[in-house]
Every structure is written in C-alpha cells, then in structure tokens.
C-alpha cells in the first residue's frame, strides 16, 4: 500500500510564557522549541506499521520553511521512504491554502491511503485532512483509532465521545485523520536521524506545482491574537509544600469528603 | 430577514448536549439580527426528541430517510448542500465533534463557504460575523474574520455555551425529502462499540486524584495511586496517560472518556485542554497543581498550586501518615 502522510512542526507551549508579536497576529517565536505535532507522530507510526504489513511506500509531506525539514528527517528516521517539503513562500496560509497545496502534491503521487493528524497542536483547526479529501474526491473519516485494510477498502474505527467507537468500512483511497493512542510511536535516536540523512528529501515550490493566485486565497484571516481574559480563575494556595498539603486536605474535608 | 441553520447532532435516539448549546447561541444571534432560527435534523425514523428541538427553534427541518439511521458525511453533505441552496442561510452552526469535524470541512470546500472550526464565541461586527478561537493549547485567543460570502460555516466547541432553553420559540416541524440525486455513500456504518467500561467506575467517586502527562513516566503512577488510596479516592487521568498505556481507558476523564462529578477533583500535572475540562464541569471543587502558572487549568480550577506535583503528593502523604 502506498501511503502519504502529512506532517507539521509545531512549537512546544508547556511551561513557557507565550508572547504576542507587534503585528498582534502571531507569536514571538524565536525563543520557542519545536517538535513534530503529536497527532502526526501517531500518523507516521501508523503509516509505517501498515507498510510493514502490506508492503509499499510511505511518503511524508510538509508545507513549510527550511526549518520544518527537521520533522521530515524524523519521519525518515522512523521509516518513511521519502519526504517532500513544499515551500509556500511568503503568504498567509489558512487550512484551505495548506490543503490546496497538499492536494496538488498528492495528485502527483501514488496513493492508496492518506493520513493526517486529527489536529495541529498550535492552531488546532482540525480540518486540513478533510479539506484535502474533498479536493482529491476521496472518502474520509476524522478521529480514527484503528485501520485494518483489505484490498480496496478498509475497516476503520472512529472515536466518538464518551468512550464510544464507531466501526465503519471505507473505500480506498481515503483520507483518515489519526487520533493519539492508535499505536505506540517508535523511539527515534540521533543516530537514526543521522542515518536517515541519506534518504530522499525533495523541496518544491508553488511554481513547480503550477498553482498560485486566487486558488491560494485564505477563507479566514486572523484579526487579532490576545491573551486569555483574566477572569476570576483559581484562588492560589501559597506556602511551602507542607502548608499547601494542609490547606488541600482542609478544603477536601470541608467539601464533605471523608478521608 | 435572514436565517441561521443549526445542524442537530444525535446518537442512538438521544440528542447530544452540543445541540442545545448551539441552539442557545443561535437564539442569541437571531435575536440580535432579527433572523429566523432553523434547526436541521436528519433521522432514520421518527424520533421523540423533535418536539424538544421545536421549542428552541422557529422551524425544524426534518429529513427522514432510512439511510440516515446513522451519521454519514457523504449523505449529510449532499442533503445540507441542497437545503442551503434552497434557503440560503446566513450562517450554519455545526458541532466541533468527531462527526462535525468529518462533515464541516467537506461541506465548506464543496460549496465554497468559508469555515472556522472549534469556536468558543461568535460575534457580529458591522454586519460581519467574527469568531473567537482558542489556540496554542488554550494559551492564546484569536479573533478571526471570514472572506465575504453568502453563507458562513462555524463549528462550535462543546461546553462553550450553556445548554439552556431560551424563551419564546415554538417552531413548526417541517418534513422535507432528501434530494433524489444523493450519492452512494463511500463509507458505511458497521457498529458502535463501547470502549469505556472497566474494573473501576470513576463516575461515582467523591474524590478523584487525577494525573496528566506531567506525571512523567509510568512508574510514577503508583505513587499517585497510593496517595489516592490513602485519601479514600480513586485515581483518574487525562488522555495522554491512557495513550501511553500508563492507565486503562476507563480511568480517562474528558470528552472521549468519562464525565465525572466528584465533590473534589484534584488535577495533578494536567494542562486543562477543553476536551479534558469538558469532563469535569460536574465536579464540585477543582484543585489544580501545575508547574506552569499560565496553564489553562487554573482558569477553571477553584484552587490552584504552582509547584511540582511530586512535592505536593509527598507532602500530602506525609500529612496523612502523621
Ligand atoms: C477528539 C479529541 C478528543 C480528546 N479527548 C480527550 C479526553 O477525553 N480527555 C483528555 O484529557 N484529553 C483529551 N484530548 C486531548 C487533549 O486535547 C489534550 O491533548 C490532553 O488533555 C492533554 O493532557 P495533559 O494535560 O495531561 O497533557 P499536557 O497538555 O501535556 O499537560 C501536562 C501539564 O503538566 C504540567 N507539568 C509537567 N510536569 C509537571 C510536574 N512535575 N508537576 C506539575 N505539573 C507538571 C505541564 O506544565 C502541563 O501543563 C482529546 C483530543 C482530541 C483531539
Ligand atoms: N503545513 C502543513 N503541512 C503538512 N501537513 C499539515 C500542515 N498543516 C496541517 N497539516 C496536517 O493536517 C492535520 C490537521 O491540521 P489542522 O487542520 O491544522 O489542525 C495535521 O495533523 C497535519 O497532518
């Protein structure tokens, strides 16, 4: 099975004070550390496991800058056969624009299955995959936690709310957006990344794809980023750990829990 | 006078809460804009909840068709496209649920209607809709505008709006036929499976000691489990803890896990993503411990502690021993 997997590099946001830049439409990003989007890590692992079972190839694609190649190298180290970076140049990109670019690249590749993450950890649109499916005119499913391919179709599991799953059958090719927990992503060592440097990583631009102009007009635009309003929020318990623990136990008892 | 569509979500004969929440917000917008509120429901057979929806809308468009027994993106898309073409609503609200995430982008691009997903607020500025979204794991808010269009599509985050019923609507239920040229669905429903049941039931506990990814590694789970035991509570967790197989699924709190209602919920190393927080709206008191003073969990907790969770866990154990 020939599988295409779309991946993205995202900043880590835990334990950092995010600051908004002067344009008010973006973050100050120079101090941030980046990783492969968590959902995409699971998507790449799934692609590789499926390939190990059924044969075929895995191609990882990102739309991004040279810095974003770092996540493609990681995908190659995990076992992808080939990687493609599309350089979008300087432009405002919403999910629609990204999906148009991805669709154009994927049309030129053999594909039985296309995997994306459910959402990207930074903008969490949760829509690039399904937008892409519609442009390729193939079926789709969001929040997938299991894939069992059989010839021209696959039995899949979609995660619904409240611990409920939906089992369905989808014809291939299809676009599936992959949910965390579907597998156990393999560990990637620095050595592994170094070894994978020999694998093919192609860079193309929009001229190579022959798209531009009105096709790449965003459907939504950010007007302003702002910090969450300082609502009432939590009453902070201060003091050393012992004092804090004492307070916590007091509150718990006050609320009618017997300890 | 314009119209706002709300696509009602239901499963196995029951309305999903998000349907009420969308209807509440649509009611507010319709009042502001003097628009008509139309609920759109697709069902396989007559459902008892139609009356409940009618009390919250000016009109309920019901498409009843054997093929609509379960959600199907291909069929829903085809039907919505034809209803939208006929009624030309100003706005269509859909849930940001697994089904809504499967449908909304497909509809949007097929019809050329701009789409904003996972919105926590919708406002009107000079006649134009704007939405508020939470990005960067809830640490940044973003106000977003749309490309000019006849119809705007918005998916709404669960629990962003109250499920309350607004006064003054008594809609008529109108049955409409599915368009004759619906395509053969490319995805077919097989079955629902319940993945949630298990050895312990966290939904009945008075005290939950809940761990998130901040717990660091599998071995540390035992330390917290021990504390929960000493306090007479149960251990629960956020999703990454289950994804990594550190605890079984039935311990998970959140939209894809359990909704819990303990008297006290002690959240240790949990950032406070909406999918998690949506599961604790029924908790009496929430106490959060997190190293990051900007963690969104502090916006929903009643009490907060900025510290390493293990310092607090050890101190709690020491107090309970002494
Ligand atoms: C469709 C869908 C459904 C989902 N359903 C659910 C669901 O049901 N339940 C759920 O929980 N999530 C769910 N999620 C995932 C959710 O979006 C978040 O990714 C998840 O809740 C994050 O879990 P976390 O807070 O444990 O981890 P993180 O967001 O990684 O946060 C870890 C926190 O721990 C803190 N920390 C780290 N070390 C320490 C320490 N030593 N002491 C104190 N604090 C520390 C960090 O500052 C951080 O705030 C769902 C996502 C999707 C897309
Ligand atoms: N710039 C990008 N390049 C390649 N794939 C992307 C890009 N942005 C998003 N995706 C894919 O689309 C998924 C959903 O992202 P989003 O719609 O941005 O939340 C991600 O998990 C990726 O698989």
């Amino acid at each position: 099975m020939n599988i295409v997997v779309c991946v993205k590099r995202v900043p880590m946001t835990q334990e950092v004070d995010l600051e908004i830049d002067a344009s008010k439409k973006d973050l100050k990003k120079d101090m941030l550390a980046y990783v492969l989007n968590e959902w995409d890590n699971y998507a790449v692992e799934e692609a590789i496991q499926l390939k190990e079972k059924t044969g075929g190839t895995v191609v990882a694609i990102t739309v991004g800058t040279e810095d974003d190649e770092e996540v493609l190298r990681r995908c190659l180290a995990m076992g992808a056969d080939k990687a493609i970076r599309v350089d979008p140049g300087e432009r405002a990109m919403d999910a629609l624009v990204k999906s148009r670019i991805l669709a154009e690249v994927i049309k030129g590749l053999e594909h039985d299955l296309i995997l994306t993450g459910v959402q990207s950890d930074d903008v969490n649109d949760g829509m690039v995959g399904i937008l892409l499916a519609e442009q390729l005119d193939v079926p789709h499913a969001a929040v997938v936690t299991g894939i069992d391919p059989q010839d021209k179709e696959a039995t899949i599991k979609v995660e619904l709310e409240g611990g409920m799953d939906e089992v369905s059958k989808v014809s291939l090719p299809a676009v599936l957006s992959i949910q965390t927990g579907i597998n156990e992503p393999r560990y990637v060592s620095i050595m592994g990344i170094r070894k994978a440097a020999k694998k093919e990583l192609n860079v193309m631009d929009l001229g190579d794809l022959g798209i531009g102009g009105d096709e790449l007009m965003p459907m939504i635009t950010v007007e302003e980023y702002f910090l969450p309003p300082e609502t009432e929020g939590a009453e902070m318990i201060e003091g050393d750990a012992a004092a804090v623990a004492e307070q916590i136990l007091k509150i718990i008892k006050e609320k009618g829990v017997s300890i | 006078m314009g119209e706002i569509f709300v696509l009602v979500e239901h499963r196995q004969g029951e309305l999903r809460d998000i349907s009420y929440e969308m209807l509440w917000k649509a009611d507010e917008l319709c009042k502001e804009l003097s628009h008509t509120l139309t609920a759109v429901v697709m069902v396989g057979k007559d459902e008892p909840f139609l009356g409940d929806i009618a009390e919250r809308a000016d009109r309920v468009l019901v498409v009843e068709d054997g093929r609509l027994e379960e959600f199907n993106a291909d069929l829903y898309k085809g039907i919505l496209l034809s209803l939208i073409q006929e009624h030309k609503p100003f706005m269509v609200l859909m849930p940001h649920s697994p089904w809504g995430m499967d449908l909304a982008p497909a509809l949007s691009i097929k019809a050329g209607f701009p789409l904003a997903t996972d919105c926590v607020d919708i406002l009107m500025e000079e006649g134009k809709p704007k939405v508020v979204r939470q990005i960067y794991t809830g640490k940044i808010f973003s106000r977003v505008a749309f490309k000019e269009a006849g119809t705007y599509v918005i998916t709404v985050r669960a629990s962003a709006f109250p499920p309350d019923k607004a006064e003054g609507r008594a809609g008529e239920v109108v049955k409409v036929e599915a368009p004759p040229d619906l395509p053969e669905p490319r995805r077919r429903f097989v079955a629902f499976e319940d993945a949630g049941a298990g050895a312990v039931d966290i939904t009945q506990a008075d005290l939950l000691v809940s761990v998130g990814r901040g717990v660091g590694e599998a071995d540390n789970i035992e330390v917290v489990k021990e504390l929960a035991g000493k306090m007479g509570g149960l251990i629960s967790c956020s999703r990454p803890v289950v994804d990594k197989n550190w605890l079984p699924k039935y311990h998970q709190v959140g939209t894809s896990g359990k909704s819990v209602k303990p008297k006290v919920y002690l959240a240790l190393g949990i950032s406070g993503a909406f999918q998690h927080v949506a599961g604790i709206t029924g908790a009496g008191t929430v106490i959060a411990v997190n190293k990051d003073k900007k963690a969104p969990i502090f916006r929903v907790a009643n009490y907060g502690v900025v510290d390493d969770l293990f310092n607090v866990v050890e101190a709690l154990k020491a107090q309970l021993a002494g």
Side-chain angles (χ1 to χ4, degrees):
Chain A
M1 199 148 77
N2 296 314
I3 307 173
V4 176
V5 54
C6 304
V7 299
K8 181 180 179 185
R9 178 172 161 269
V10 296
M12 298 204 296
T13 57
Q14 307 296 357
E15 291 176 69
V16 283
D17 276 351
L18 298 178
E19 284 181 60
I20 295 166
D21 75 5
S23 77
K24 294 211 170 161
K25 294 177 206 287
D26 207 347
L27 294 185
K28 289 187 186 160
K29 286 183 170 155
D30 41 333
M31 296 303 284
L32 298 175
Y34 286 79
V35 285
L36 174 60
N37 184 36
E38 187 181 4
W39 282 267
D40 302 352
N41 194 29
Y42 285 94
V44 175
E45 177 64 36
E46 194 62 21
I48 293 163
Q49 288 190 13
L50 286 169
K51 173 192 125 163
E52 286 167 351
K53 249 186 270 169
T54 66
T57 57
V58 173
V59 180
I61 310 181
T62 197
V63 179
T65 64
E66 203 174 333
D67 288 341
D68 295 317
E69 289 180 9
E70 172 192 324
V71 295
L72 291 178
R73 292 211 184 81
R74 190 191 154 86
C75 296
L76 292 170
M78 285 174 80
D81 300 282
K82 190 179 138 182
I84 300 173
R85 175 173 72 87
V86 186
D87 199 317
E90 287 290 321
R91 66 177 59 245
M93 285 204 294
D94 66 352
L96 177 65
V97 175
K98 293 174 213 166
S99 73
R100 287 218 192 283
I101 297 172
L102 288 167
E104 218 44 52
V105 184
I106 294 170
K107 276 178 198 162
L109 299 171
E110 295 210 16
H111 56 271
D112 303 305
L113 185 64
I114 298 146
L115 303 183
T116 71
V118 166
Q119 62 181 35
S120 42
D121 207 30
D122 49 1
V123 293
N124 69 275
D125 281 324
M127 60 168 141
V128 165
I130 311 300
L131 290 171
L132 176 62
E134 194 64 36
Q135 291 170 79
L136 297 171
D137 198 19
V138 298
H140 45 86
V143 199
V144 171
T145 54
I147 308 172
D148 180 14
Q150 308 107 4
D151 203 18
K152 283 280 152 231
E153 68 174 11
T155 304
I156 58 167
K157 216 178 243 190
V158 160
E159 176 189 276
L160 304 176
E161 300 88 341
M164 183 75 90
D165 290 333
E166 175 193 329
V167 180
S168 53
K169 283 189 188 289
V170 65
S171 62
L172 299 179
V175 176
L176 307 178
S177 87
I178 301 299
Q179 172 67 316
T180 58
I182 186 173
N183 52 40
E184 283 184 55
R186 67 198 65 193
Y187 176 76
V188 178
S189 67
I190 307 251
M191 264 307 284
I193 291 183
R194 245 182 246 147
K195 272 197 198 146
K198 285 199 285 296
K199 287 186 175 173
E200 194 181 339
L201 193 165
N202 294 336
V203 180
M204 28 171 72
D205 61 23
L206 300 182
D208 300 328
L209 291 170
I211 48 169
D214 279 356
E215 284 172 293
L216 299 183
M217 282 279 285
M219 59 179 171
I220 52 176
T221 46
V222 171
E223 284 201 332
E224 191 189 13
Y225 279 4
F226 54 101
L227 294 174
E230 302 264 343
T231 45
E232 289 131 50
E235 179 184 323
M236 300 315 271
I237 306 173
E238 316 277 350
D240 64 11
V244 165
E246 196 173 322
Q247 267 301 102
I248 292 177
L249 290 175
K250 192 167 150 248
I251 296 164
I252 293 176
K253 283 177 194 152
E254 272 170 15
K255 301 298 167 190
V257 179
S258 47
I259 295 182
Chain B
M1 202 166 73
E3 189 170 4
I4 293 182
F5 269 19
V6 171
L7 177 68
V8 169
E9 184 166 307
H10 59 93
R11 193 168 82 203
Q12 295 181 300
E14 274 181 43
L15 283 180
R16 310 286 309 161
D17 287 347
I18 183 74
S19 300
Y20 295 123
E21 294 159 14
M22 290 187 295
L23 287 164
W24 181 92
K25 183 62 194 180
D27 171 81
E28 195 184 72
L29 288 165
C30 282
K31 282 182 179 140
E32 182 182 339
L33 296 164
S34 302
H35 278 12
T36 321
L37 203 179
T38 300
V40 179
V41 201
M42 313 211 191
V43 291
K45 57 177 189 312
D46 196 22
E47 294 280 3
F49 53 67
L50 294 177
D52 200 7
I53 302 168
E55 288 174 11
R56 297 161 190 257
D58 296 314
R59 181 168 53 175
V60 188
L61 295 178
V62 182
V63 186
E64 188 181 316
D65 188 305
R67 290 170 292 179
L68 298 172
E69 190 60 49
E70 310 301 343
F71 168 82
N72 182 284
D74 289 335
L75 298 177
Y76 270 50
K77 185 184 71 188
I79 294 168
L80 271 174
L81 278 173
S82 98
L83 289 176
I84 292 171
Q85 256 157 25
E86 186 187 337
H87 295 263
K88 307 204 162 37
F90 169 65
M91 191 184 279
V92 181
L93 302 189
M94 295 190 202
H96 191 69
S97 61
W99 285 343
M101 290 167 88
D102 191 28
L103 171 64
L107 176 78
S108 151
I109 194 163
K110 181 90 184 170
F113 304 142
L115 164 67
T117 50
D118 194 17
C119 301
V120 297
D121 204 3
I122 306 166
L123 25 130
M124 296 298 304
E125 275 175 16
E126 292 163 5
K128 295 193 168 66
K130 307 277 164 76
V131 294
V132 178
R133 310 185 62 248
Q134 296 184 1
I135 55 177
Y136 292 96
T137 59
K139 286 189 154 183
I140 300 284
F141 285 26
S142 169
R143 197 179 61 245
V144 170
F146 297 85
K147 180 185 84 179
E148 190 85 40
T151 300
Y152 301 93
V153 186
I154 293 170
T155 69
V156 174
R157 173 178 287 194
S159 306
F161 303 113
D164 305 343
K165 182 161 83 182
E167 292 303 316
R169 297 199 193 267
E172 52 170 335
V173 176
V174 184
K175 300 236 165 173
V176 288
E177 292 290 320
D181 54 349
L182 275 188
E184 192 59 31
R186 300 166 295 181
R187 195 173 131 206
R188 284 174 294 115
F189 175 85
V190 176
F192 288 122
E193 268 178 17
D194 191 351
V200 296
D201 184 3
I202 58 169
T203 65
Q204 299 304 317
D206 274 350
L207 173 67
L208 287 175
V209 181
S210 205
V211 286
R213 200 193 322 248
V215 75
E217 50 185 284
D219 289 348
N220 295 337
I221 297 284
E222 267 324 299
V223 182
V224 180
K225 222 186 228 170
E226 203 182 301
L227 173 69
K230 279 202 169 126
M231 295 172 92
L234 290 178
I235 188 167
S236 60
C237 64
S238 69
R239 179 174 183 117
V241 173
V242 174
D243 287 341
K244 291 172 192 290
N245 291 322
W246 294 347
L247 276 173
K249 177 90 181 169
Y250 49 82
H251 288 277
Q252 186 191 316
V253 172
T255 52
S256 57
K258 296 267 161 58
S259 284
V260 295
K261 44 179 178 20
K263 288 180 180 151
V264 178
Y265 188 79
L266 180 57
L268 307 173
I270 293 176
S271 63
F274 94 90
Q275 292 98 342
H276 186 82
V277 170
I280 58 171
T281 49
T285 300
V286 176
I287 308 173
V289 182
N290 198 303
K291 278 205 291 201
D292 182 357
K293 64 177 190 308
K294 294 279 173 68
I297 188 80
F298 291 128
R299 299 206 299 267
V300 295
N302 303 87
Y303 298 94
V305 179
V306 180
D307 196 359
D308 190 304
L309 71 93
F310 297 105
N311 290 342
V312 176
V313 167
E314 289 312 323
L316 281 169
K317 276 192 186 160
Q319 301 248 341
L320 290 167

